[in-house]
Amino acid sequence: MLHSLSRNIAVFLFDDNDKFPLEVYIYGIEICLSSLIGIIAILIISFMIGRFFEGILYIITLFIIRSCTGGYHAQTYFKCNLIYIFSFLCTIKFYNFLSKQYLIFNNYFCLIIMIISIIIIWLYAPLENVNKKINEKSKKKFKRLSIIEIVLSSFVAILILCMFHFYQALVIFPTFFVIDISVLVEVILSKRRNKK
């Protein structure tokens, strides 16, 4: 269904005189539509469970950092969106725990999560996939960008927490774990594929 919708949109918008073959446009439209479906689903769920701001922060943090780190890619758009929704729900569970424990552990817990994420990103990111090959120069650039993004978003979140007591900013830290798990899963699967 998504493919046929994407094909119809591409045929309507592009023709044979365009820069790329029609299949490239179809693929790009499929990715955009699938991402839009996932974003809308997260926003609806986050609104329904009373965590709308957390949903927005989750989406922004995940897309910004994961665009540089790479990570696991499901084989279908349906599976991708299911994983996306499941990871959001896990993030909210962890966020609920973290926000209750925050008064006890203060910022140390957040800094520990940040350090763990930096280590994982330093060791493994950025990851390539079949559709996105990365040269060595770009790998170094994406690794630096990923670490900078994690550090900056961590300190902005902690600053917001300390100055404004806006506890929703804590959702950034469990989102780091989602990115870390995505990176680690792809590393494991990549090693298995290479052994075959």
Side-chain angles (χ1 to χ4, degrees):
M1 185 176 114
L2 190 62
H3 183 74
S4 60
L5 177 62
S6 300
R7 175 173 283 287
N8 290 339
I9 293 170
V11 167
F12 179 75
L13 294 175
F14 306 102
D15 58 32
D16 293 335
N17 297 329
D18 285 308
K19 185 176 180 180
F20 298 105
L22 190 62
E23 291 302 317
V24 172
Y25 294 112
I26 293 170
Y27 177 69
I29 293 169
E30 279 180 358
I31 290 173
C32 290
L33 289 176
S34 177
S35 297
L36 185 62
I37 290 167
I39 289 169
I40 290 169
I42 295 296
L43 291 175
I44 289 170
I45 291 168
S46 63
F47 181 77
M48 290 172 59
I49 63 174
R51 299 289 187 204
F52 190 70
F53 290 114
E54 291 88 337
I56 291 171
L57 287 173
Y58 171 81
I59 291 167
I60 292 169
T61 305
L62 190 75
F63 277 119
I64 289 173
I65 296 174
R66 196 153 183 267
S67 66
C68 290
T69 63
Y72 174 73
H73 286 275
Q75 292 181 343
T76 67
Y77 297 118
F78 180 73
K79 286 181 186 176
C80 179
N81 282 320
L82 276 181
I83 291 168
Y84 185 44
I85 292 166
F86 178 75
S87 67
F88 171 69
L89 294 173
C90 291
T91 298
I92 291 301
K93 277 288 191 193
F94 187 23
Y95 161 76
N96 289 336
F97 166 78
L98 192 59
S99 59
K100 289 175 186 167
Q101 303 303 315
Y102 180 75
L103 297 174
I104 299 168
F105 295 114
N106 209 330
N107 294 324
Y108 298 114
F109 202 60
C110 297
L111 290 173
I112 290 168
I113 293 171
M114 181 189 76
I115 291 168
I116 290 169
S117 292
I118 289 172
I119 291 169
I120 290 170
I121 299 306
W122 182 262
L123 291 173
Y124 301 112
L127 296 170
E128 291 182 328
N129 72 30
V130 178
N131 299 317
K132 188 178 177 184
K133 298 293 181 191
I134 308 170
N135 63 39
E136 282 305 312
K137 185 178 179 183
S138 294
K139 281 183 182 181
K140 290 178 183 176
K141 178 181 127 187
F142 286 134
K143 185 182 295 278
R144 277 193 309 269
L145 274 173
S146 301
I147 292 170
I148 289 168
E149 289 168 351
I150 287 173
V151 172
L152 282 177
S153 56
S154 296
F155 284 119
V156 167
I158 290 171
L159 188 65
I160 290 170
L161 281 164
C162 293
M163 291 178 65
F164 304 109
H165 303 289
F166 187 73
Y167 289 96
Q168 288 86 346
L170 280 171
V171 80
I172 289 172
F173 297 98
T175 305
F176 290 166
F177 269 145
V178 168
I179 295 166
D180 296 343
I181 290 168
S182 174
V183 167
L184 292 174
V185 166
E186 184 57 32
V187 167
I188 292 166
L189 292 175
S190 180
K191 286 182 181 179
R192 285 186 185 170
R193 283 190 296 265
N194 290 338
K195 285 182 180 179
K196 291 181 181 180

